[in-house]
Amino acid sequence: MKRVFDLILVLLSLPLWGPLLLVIALLVRVKLGAPVFFRQRRPGLHGRIFELIKFRSMRDASDAQGRPLPDTERLTPFGRVLRASSLDELPELWNVLRGDMSLVGPRPLLVEYLPRYTPEQARRHEVRPGLTGLAQVKGRNALSWEDRFRWDVHYVDNRSLWLDVRIIAMTLLKVLRRDGISAAGEATMPEFRPAASDSSSTSTTPT
């Protein structure tokens, strides 16, 4: 039912997001140049790797050694608007149609994070990753990594179509309010580096 729900909602909303997709693609081409899309391998259901597609929001800029500059230096004002409005995520609707992702689920993170998860944190891959998720409506990038993973697993254990509907509605409010766009002192979110002992975390358990 969840897969059917995703397909129906995406296809019914095509007249809304289809033209918007084309307009943003044109703006990205004018403001940032080619390529318009950012493509990256991400782990999905059961850790299966797929290619995630987003609008590019950063310029290409490297240091003398050829390494990309920090996000704060590559993220343009136009890119900040795209991220704050979550419009950079629109192309991921193609991933939803393909079955790589769902509308709601834990956000797909980097492939290199896979060996860093505890067995409990790795449970986030028991469902398809989502365009939005419980962690996003509970704080988005302003949450600590530990809290994000707790909410992800909480969603896995309590998922339902009604919960998905609530999360989608809460996501729209979060986007309008531009809450939790970035972590404190970061342009986006710091790299996930697990603590020496996860049991020492003082984060609050979701209820």
Side-chain angles (χ1 to χ4, degrees):
M1 286 300 296
K2 181 177 174 63
R3 177 68 180 143
V4 173
F5 172 78
D6 287 344
L7 290 175
I8 290 175
L9 202 57
V10 171
L11 292 174
L12 285 179
S13 62
L14 178 60
L16 295 177
W17 62 262
L20 185 58
L21 199 71
L22 294 175
V23 170
I24 296 173
L26 179 61
L27 288 173
V28 172
R29 184 66 177 83
V30 171
K31 297 284 188 178
L32 297 174
V36 169
F37 297 109
F38 170 79
R39 302 171 184 267
Q40 190 174 56
R41 296 169 70 247
R42 299 284 179 96
L45 180 64
H46 305 312
R48 181 180 64 85
I49 306 302
F50 70 96
E51 185 180 65
L52 176 139
I53 306 174
K54 299 172 64 172
F55 279 124
R56 191 158 68 96
S57 59
M58 295 187 186
R59 62 189 180 91
D60 293 324
S62 305
D63 61 19
Q65 286 72 44
R67 295 171 300 192
L69 293 176
D71 290 353
T72 51
E73 297 182 42
R74 295 190 297 127
L75 191 59
T76 65
F78 172 70
R80 290 183 188 278
V81 171
L82 277 184
R83 284 176 174 263
S85 61
S86 295
L87 291 175
D88 62 318
E89 311 280 359
L90 267 183
E92 290 171 42
L93 290 170
W94 172 246
N95 291 120
V96 175
L97 289 174
R98 281 173 47 90
D100 300 322
M101 295 176 61
S102 177
L103 288 175
V104 179
R107 285 293 299 163
L109 301 176
L110 301 180
V111 174
E112 52 262 41
Y113 291 176
L114 286 174
R116 304 180 190 181
Y117 298 139
T118 65
E120 180 70 4
Q121 291 168 347
R123 294 191 57 224
R124 67 195 311 276
H125 294 295
E126 292 179 11
V127 298
R128 284 187 178 90
L131 202 62
T132 185
L134 197 53
Q136 276 58 52
V137 300
K138 294 296 184 180
R140 206 172 171 182
N141 288 335
L143 287 179
S144 68
W145 280 112
E146 290 76 13
D147 280 339
R148 289 182 72 174
F149 293 142
R150 282 186 174 86
W151 285 118
D152 287 344
V153 175
H154 185 75
Y155 173 79
V156 170
D157 290 336
N158 297 275
R159 61 190 183 276
S160 68
L161 287 182
W162 173 237
L163 179 58
D164 282 7
V165 171
R166 289 174 56 200
I167 290 173
I168 290 171
M170 293 168 69
T171 298
L172 295 175
L173 290 176
K174 280 282 182 180
V175 169
L176 290 174
R177 295 172 181 169
R178 300 192 177 188
D179 291 340
I181 296 168
S182 61
E186 301 282 344
T188 53
M189 186 74 182
E191 181 180 354
F192 168 54
R193 296 183 181 277
S197 174
D198 287 306
S199 61
S200 63
S201 173
T202 58
S203 300
T204 304
T205 302
T207 57

